[in-house]
Amino acid sequence: RNKPEFKFRGEIKMKKLYLVALLALAILLGVSDCAQAALTSSLRPKIAIPEGYEQFNFISQMGWHWANMAVIMAQSQANEPLGPIYLVYKGEVIGLEWMWTEQMTQEVNIIIDEGLGPEAYEPLPSLVLPPLPVGVTMDHIDIGFLPRGHGGMLEEPHWHLHLYFITEEEKAGIVLTEG
């Protein structure tokens, strides 16, 4: 019995939608609405901030932002999403953040030929999740658009993606209480 063959030759236009990749990542990592709530702060596995990261600002309900500015500058020059930025509150990493602009989601042409081998497509850049300790789970994801941008790293309109390891109730209690 002959198996049907699928052959396609042509060009597909698509957007570099990092959001889709991140949401798939979140699903693969097991986003759970109750898993994190079952852990108290003292029992959560601790996430270390890598070498080269510096604290640069505090935002209520997000905590202190830690970034490696050399990495951020290189990503910006390469027109890639910025991050990860570590979100820290009371000495604990509570989440990760990435930012990207519309320009970072330009159309790309992907050529697909009959072979469908590695040479048949142009891979899109990946957002790399830093290594997380065993037992770390995400509680929820926040995605937002800032049409006017903000001071600091990205003053033009851009998207934010936050992956949180704490509950929304815990996040709501984050206020500036440390220096």
Side-chain angles (χ1 to χ4, degrees):
R1 189 178 215 199
N2 289 338
K3 292 183 180 178
E5 286 186 33
F6 173 76
K7 291 186 179 183
F8 177 82
R9 176 173 279 165
E11 185 175 319
I12 297 175
K13 289 191 184 279
M14 55 187 303
K15 290 250 186 192
K16 290 192 241 178
L17 294 178
Y18 296 103
L19 178 59
V20 173
L22 287 171
L23 291 176
L25 170 69
I27 291 167
L28 289 174
L29 291 175
V31 175
S32 168
D33 58 357
C34 62
Q36 197 68 8
L39 294 174
T40 65
S41 179
S42 62
L43 296 177
R44 283 191 196 114
K46 301 300 179 202
I47 299 169
I49 300 171
E51 294 282 327
Y53 277 69
E54 299 175 21
Q55 176 180 304
F56 66 94
N57 71 338
F58 183 91
I59 298 175
S60 293
Q61 297 191 14
M62 289 184 207
W64 288 102
H65 288 57
W66 287 69
N68 183 322
M69 294 312 288
V71 170
I72 295 292
M73 292 304 294
Q75 290 168 329
S76 180
Q77 290 172 353
N79 201 31
E80 296 176 352
L82 309 181
I85 298 165
Y86 286 73
L87 307 177
V88 178
Y89 186 61
K90 294 186 176 179
E92 179 183 354
V93 174
I94 58 153
L96 299 169
E97 174 183 3
W98 283 267
M99 298 181 284
W100 68 96
T101 66
E102 180 65 26
Q103 184 180 2
M104 294 172 185
T105 62
Q106 297 173 7
E107 271 190 347
V108 293
N109 293 327
I110 298 178
I111 306 301
I112 298 180
D113 206 341
E114 292 178 29
L116 295 181
E119 68 286 346
Y121 66 92
E122 177 184 337
L124 302 177
S126 300
L127 293 180
V128 179
L129 187 68
L132 298 176
V134 173
V136 170
T137 59
M138 280 182 284
D139 182 82
H140 65 282
I141 299 171
D142 288 347
I143 302 169
F145 181 68
L146 292 141
R148 290 178 290 282
H150 57 71
M153 287 184 203
L154 212 48
E155 296 185 4
E156 59 193 282
H158 64 276
W159 293 90
H160 278 242
L161 177 94
H162 298 95
L163 308 177
Y164 284 101
F165 311 120
I166 61 173
T167 65
E168 292 197 32
E169 292 79 20
E170 289 173 296
K171 184 179 74 171
I174 294 176
V175 294
L176 183 57
T177 58
E178 56 183 72

